[in-house]
């Protein structure tokens, strides 16, 4: 989101799922959508069945890659190098969209100078992807009318994740694949309402509708609606919070629906910091590992199917969620708990009697303060089965794609042009060494969800436990076999796990999920190097060694 907001001013995917289905070329970059975004992947498959070509860029030949027309298996952390090589090939083949570049972008010359050294030969040597494959993707992407570039954590969970995203945005600017029906740039959001959380201002620098906290008019409008004074400085994002805990500047934390004791990188250090707080409050539907450390647990909040509200997905579509089940005895909507806390803090905000009334009244307040949501009444959301933002008017809808203004003939209408970003190749913080010769990347499997809180604890026949996945070549070299327990060590910690030999991995690359805390704490191994621009940790690149256990 930071990358898209930097270039275009708005942090959201630029297309709709319907446009994905109409695409000629779909590139999934660092995304295992087959497993992690199965519903979105159905839209991709509809395009493929229509004849679209699917390209997947992923160091592993993931299940998604197995569906692709062409898989580009790059080395972990070489995505900027790959993007620059593709760009240079597009430019030298005369396929750059000079009309769009001239009309809608700035900084092309500097960008050109940055990518010029990335010949196909150099690209192949650095990324490990054969030059022919790079050339094919470059030509297919540049010549397609409707090209969609989508990415997820393989791009963002690096110490330079934002630069990685900027490198992909450069490709779309180069080819004019943004701001038109059918062409776009789409980060797929992790949870059902991550997009909605950001849109509502659950980020350190913006209030609802991405309005800048540093803007005095914005502070004044929100402040008078709420009867409070809003601070005129940015807050901390998650990793800055942990840094502040380390310095002793952050002493109390209120966690709602997150399990950082399990999901943060360098876990032992994280738990130490959470333990050291003066006051920790956790509001969750389960008693998580984080809740076990808390001074106060606000338990039994109603889950999504037991409460009213909205969620916003990766195509920026706001959709109503309705109460389908009664919550268990004593459980309440998160919003009721939050309103009670507010009351104790001196703000007796009344929104209505029933959960439905409260949810709608809160939403109407959002619409009164956030112009991009203004036209989305509950009645209209229900009638249209969800609406994409922006929707400022209650009598019409905007196009399903963003940034159409960039194509306008009138420069005044075009507004702020989109800058190319001359980012540079920057390998993972932790290099490989004799002591730690293997690259560990971590991610997801279809059968489980994040820290396992919501997908464990009951009998789930699909779910099989954690493993350290290694290539057949590495398994042979280490003399280990399937299901044999080994020790995995990184500079931060060690654990034991069973081996799973997986041919989707190439020699030197090993893979783990982080879904099975009762069995293995994967984040004991990961590095807490973070991208200062987004606060995201480098979960995708640690260095480890694997040793046989003494028999
Ligand atoms: N079943 C299931 N679905 C989920 C989740 C879950 O836990 N389980 N979690 C949800 C959440 S919160 C999120 S954020 C999304 C995440 O969705 P994804 O980002 O698709 O999931 P990951 O498996 O973390 O990572 C995707 C891929 O990045 C690749 N990768 C690793 N390093 C690199 C690199 O340097 N370059 C490139 N190009 N690729 C790399 C990995 O091999 C992996 O296949 O999934 C959501 N959906
Ligand atoms: N090694 C490694 N670590 C990673 C990642 C990785 O790829 N590799 N990925 C990172 C990413 S992308 C993410 S998103 C994080 C995920 O990390 P977390 O968000 O910490 O993990 P979850 O297991 O999704 O935790 C969500 C919590 O919300 C609670 N919950 C669910 N519904 C409700 C509700 O309605 N109300 C309330 N109050 N609580 C609710 C659940 O019970 C659960 O405890 O992990 C990060 N950590
Ligand atoms: Mo996520």
């Amino acid at each position: 989101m930071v990358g898209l907001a930097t270039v275009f001013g708005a942090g959201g995917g630029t297309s709709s799922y319907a446009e994905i289905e109409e695409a000629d070329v779909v590139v999934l970059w660092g995304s295992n959508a087959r497993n992690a975004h199965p519903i979105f992947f159905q839209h991709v498959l509809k395009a493929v069945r229509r004849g679209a070509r699917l390209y997947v860029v992923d160091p592993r030949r993931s299940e998604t890659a197995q569906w692709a027309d062409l898989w580009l298996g790059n080395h972990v952390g070489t995505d900027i190098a790959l993007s620059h090589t593709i760009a240079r090939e597009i430019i030298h083949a005369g396929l750059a969209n000079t009309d769009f570049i001239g009309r809608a972008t700035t900084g092309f010359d500097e960008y050109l100078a940055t990518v010029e050294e990335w010949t196909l030969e150099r690209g192949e040597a650095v990324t490990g992807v054969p030059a022919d494959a790079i050339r094919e993707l470059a030509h297919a992407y540049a010549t397609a009318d409707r090209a969609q570039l989508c990415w997820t954590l393989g791009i963002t969970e690096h110490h330079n994740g934002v630069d990685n995203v900027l490198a992909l945005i450069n490709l779309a600017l180069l080819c004019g694949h943004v701001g038109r029906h059918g062409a776009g740039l789409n980060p797929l959001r992790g949870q059902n309402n991550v997009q909605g959380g950001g849109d509502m201002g659950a980020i350190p620098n913006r209030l609802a509708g991405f309005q800048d906290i540093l803007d005095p008019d914005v502070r004044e409008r929100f402040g008078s609606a709420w009867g409070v004074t809003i601070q005129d400085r940015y807050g901390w994002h998650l990793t800055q919070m942990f840094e502040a805990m380390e310095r002793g500047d952050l002493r109390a934390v209120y966690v709602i629906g997150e399990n950082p004791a399990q999901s943060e990188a360098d876990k032992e250090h994280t738990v130490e910091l959470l333990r050291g707080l003066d006051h920790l409050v956790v509001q969750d539907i389960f008693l998580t590992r984080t809740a076990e450390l808390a001074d106060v647990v606000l338990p039994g909040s109603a889950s999504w199917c037991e409460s009213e509200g909205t969620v916003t997905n990766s195509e920026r579509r706001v959709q109503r969620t309705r109460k389908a089940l009664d919550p268990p005895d004593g459980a309440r909507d998160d919003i009721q708990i939050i309103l009670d806390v507010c009351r104790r803090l001196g703000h007796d905000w009344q929104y209505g009697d029933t959960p439905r009334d409260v949810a709608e009244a809160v939403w109407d307040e959002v619409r009164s303060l956030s112009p991009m949501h203004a036209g989305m009444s509950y009645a209209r959301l229900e009638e249209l089965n969800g609406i994409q933002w922006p929707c400022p008017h209650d009598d019409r809808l905007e196009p399903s794609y963003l940034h159409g203004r960039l194509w306008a003939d009138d420069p005044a209408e075009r507004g702020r042009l989109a800058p190319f970003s001359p980012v540079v190749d920057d390998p993972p913080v932790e290099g490989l060494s004799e002591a730690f010769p293997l690259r560990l990347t971590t991610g997801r499997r279809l059968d489980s969800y994040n820290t396992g809180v919501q997908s464990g604890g009951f009998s789930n026949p699909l779910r099989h436990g954690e493993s350290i996945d290694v290539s057949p070549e590495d398994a042979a070299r280490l003399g280990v076999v399937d299901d044999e327990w080994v020790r995995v060590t990184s500079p931060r910690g060690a654990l034991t796990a069973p081996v799973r030999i997986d041919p989707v991995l190439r020699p030197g690359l090993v893979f783990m999920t982080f879904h099975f805390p009762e069995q293995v704490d994967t984040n004991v191994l990961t590095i807490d190097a973070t991208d200062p621009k987004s606060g995201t940790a480098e979960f995708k690149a640690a260095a480890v060694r694997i040793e046989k256990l003494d028999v």
Side-chain angles (χ1 to χ4, degrees):
M1 287 305 117
V2 179
L4 285 166
T6 309
V7 177
F8 301 111
T14 72
S15 312
S16 59
Y17 293 166
E19 289 167 75
I20 302 280
E21 293 180 11
E22 296 169 17
D24 305 320
V25 163
V26 179
V27 185
L28 297 179
W29 199 313
S31 153
N32 186 7
R34 165 69 183 82
N35 286 355
H37 294 94
I39 294 177
F40 167 80
F41 197 65
Q42 292 307 313
H43 296 284
V44 173
L45 286 184
K46 281 196 186 166
V48 168
R49 280 189 211 110
R50 267 191 38 257
R53 286 185 70 76
L54 174 62
Y55 294 87
V56 173
V57 184
D58 194 309
R60 300 183 309 139
R61 191 162 179 268
S62 64
E63 288 198 36
T64 306
Q66 292 168 32
W67 283 86
D69 292 288
L70 185 68
W71 164 56
L72 289 84
N74 63 328
H75 298 310
V76 168
T78 60
D79 298 281
I80 292 177
L82 184 58
S83 162
H84 282 1
T85 309
I86 292 169
R88 183 184 184 279
E89 176 61 21
I90 290 172
I91 294 164
H92 280 248
L95 299 174
N97 188 328
T98 46
D99 169 30
F100 183 76
I101 294 169
R103 166 197 298 257
T105 70
T106 58
F108 180 66
D109 290 342
E110 204 187 333
Y111 176 58
L112 192 63
T114 316
V115 302
E116 191 47 37
E117 60 183 311
W118 287 96
T119 60
L120 287 172
E121 296 68 35
R122 174 150 190 235
E124 173 171 329
V126 171
T127 67
V129 181
D132 285 350
I134 303 177
R135 185 188 300 113
E136 183 183 329
L137 172 54
H139 287 242
Y141 182 72
T143 56
D145 174 28
R146 296 175 168 190
Q148 292 285 349
L149 183 45
C150 311
W151 67 87
T152 46
L153 302 182
I155 281 298
T156 54
E157 281 185 350
H158 291 275
H159 73 281
N160 58 344
V162 173
D163 284 359
N164 281 342
V165 172
L166 292 171
L168 301 193
I169 296 174
N170 286 336
L171 292 178
L173 297 181
L174 186 62
C175 301
H177 287 331
V178 66
R180 287 189 292 120
H181 184 92
L185 286 163
N186 295 293
L188 310 174
R189 313 312 313 265
Q191 288 117 334
N192 61 346
N193 196 32
V194 174
Q195 180 73 49
D199 298 348
M200 290 302 105
I203 41 178
N205 50 1
R206 300 276 184 268
L207 290 162
F210 294 113
Q211 299 176 82
D212 196 333
I213 290 187
L214 296 187
D215 180 339
D217 294 341
V218 169
R219 284 202 309 278
E220 164 55 30
R221 263 192 308 118
F222 279 82
S224 60
W226 293 341
V228 298
T229 307
I230 294 172
Q231 62 176 26
D232 58 354
R233 59 182 167 82
Y234 290 154
W236 289 317
H237 56 58
L238 191 61
T239 26
Q240 288 168 330
M241 288 188 205
F242 279 96
E243 285 159 18
M245 285 182 219
E246 182 116 48
R247 294 193 306 271
D249 292 345
L250 178 58
R251 306 299 313 153
V253 173
Y254 182 1
V255 177
I256 307 181
E258 176 139 334
N259 187 14
Q262 217 56 66
S263 58
E264 280 292 284
D266 196 355
K267 174 205 152 115
E268 298 206 325
H269 189 50
T270 303
V271 168
E272 203 179 293
L273 292 174
L274 290 170
R275 265 192 223 290
L277 288 168
D278 294 343
H279 196 57
L280 175 63
V281 182
V282 172
Q283 178 171 324
D284 204 288
I285 56 175
F286 290 105
L287 188 69
T288 61
R289 290 284 177 88
T290 310
E292 283 168 10
L293 304 172
D295 300 289
V296 177
V297 178
L298 299 171
S301 28
S303 74
W304 64 274
C305 57
E306 295 155 352
S307 46
E308 297 280 344
T310 63
V311 291
T312 309
N313 69 5
S314 303
E315 61 163 358
R316 298 169 276 110
R317 184 175 302 279
V318 179
Q319 300 176 86
R320 279 276 286 122
T321 53
R322 300 166 192 85
K323 181 165 163 279
L325 298 172
D326 284 328
D329 269 351
R332 308 165 70 209
D333 276 12
D334 282 308
I335 184 137
Q336 286 297 350
I337 300 176
I338 294 168
L339 286 174
D340 273 0
V341 171
C342 294
R343 200 160 298 135
R344 303 278 180 95
L345 292 171
H347 291 278
D348 192 6
W349 286 314
Q350 296 296 336
Y351 284 99
D353 295 328
T354 66
R356 168 74 167 67
D357 291 348
V358 173
E360 183 166 9
V362 169
W363 183 248
D364 285 339
E365 182 179 307
V366 170
R367 292 170 55 218
S368 72
L369 290 167
S370 164
M372 71 185 210
H373 294 98
M376 300 183 185
S377 63
Y378 261 30
R380 213 166 165 223
L381 285 174
E382 281 168 11
E383 181 195 325
L384 298 174
N385 219 355
I387 302 176
Q388 286 180 282
W389 64 249
C391 179
H393 309 290
D394 51 19
D395 55 353
R396 62 188 151 95
L397 294 176
E398 302 299 307
S400 62
Y401 56 90
L402 296 180
H403 316 312
R405 64 176 173 84
L406 290 172
W407 288 91
D409 288 327
D410 175 2
E413 212 179 301
R414 258 177 260 157
R416 183 176 163 273
L417 302 184
F420 277 98
S421 310
V423 293
V424 291
D425 171 45
D426 186 10
V429 170
E430 197 159 79
L432 301 181
S433 62
E434 214 168 294
F436 302 103
L438 296 168
R439 175 61 72 209
L440 169 72
T441 196
T442 63
R444 287 151 177 80
R445 287 211 310 255
L446 178 64
D447 55 67
S448 301
Y449 190 73
N450 286 355
T451 66
V453 179
Q454 289 162 273
S455 52
F458 56 91
S459 140
N460 174 350
L462 291 175
R463 194 168 182 257
H464 53 106
E466 188 60 271
S467 54
I468 170 88
D469 299 354
V470 303
S471 67
E473 294 84 349
D474 284 326
R477 194 176 47 75
L478 292 160
V480 295
V481 294
D482 258 328
D483 293 330
E484 173 175 346
W485 284 71
V486 293
R487 180 181 309 282
V488 188
T489 310
S490 84
R492 289 154 296 281
L495 51 78
T496 55
V499 166
R500 196 168 66 121
I501 299 175
D502 191 347
V504 312
L505 293 160
R506 285 164 323 159
L509 182 64
V510 300
F511 179 79
M512 292 183 79
T513 71
F514 63 115
H515 300 312
F516 306 94
E518 72 288 359
Q519 185 196 350
V520 168
D521 275 331
T522 304
N523 280 331
V524 164
L525 301 173
T526 47
I527 182 169
D528 67 354
T530 48
D531 185 335
K533 295 181 193 161
S534 66
T536 303
E538 189 149 80
F539 288 117
K540 294 292 183 258
V544 298
R545 67 167 171 271
I546 294 180
E547 293 153 308
K548 274 175 91 73
L549 292 179
D550 296 334
V551 199

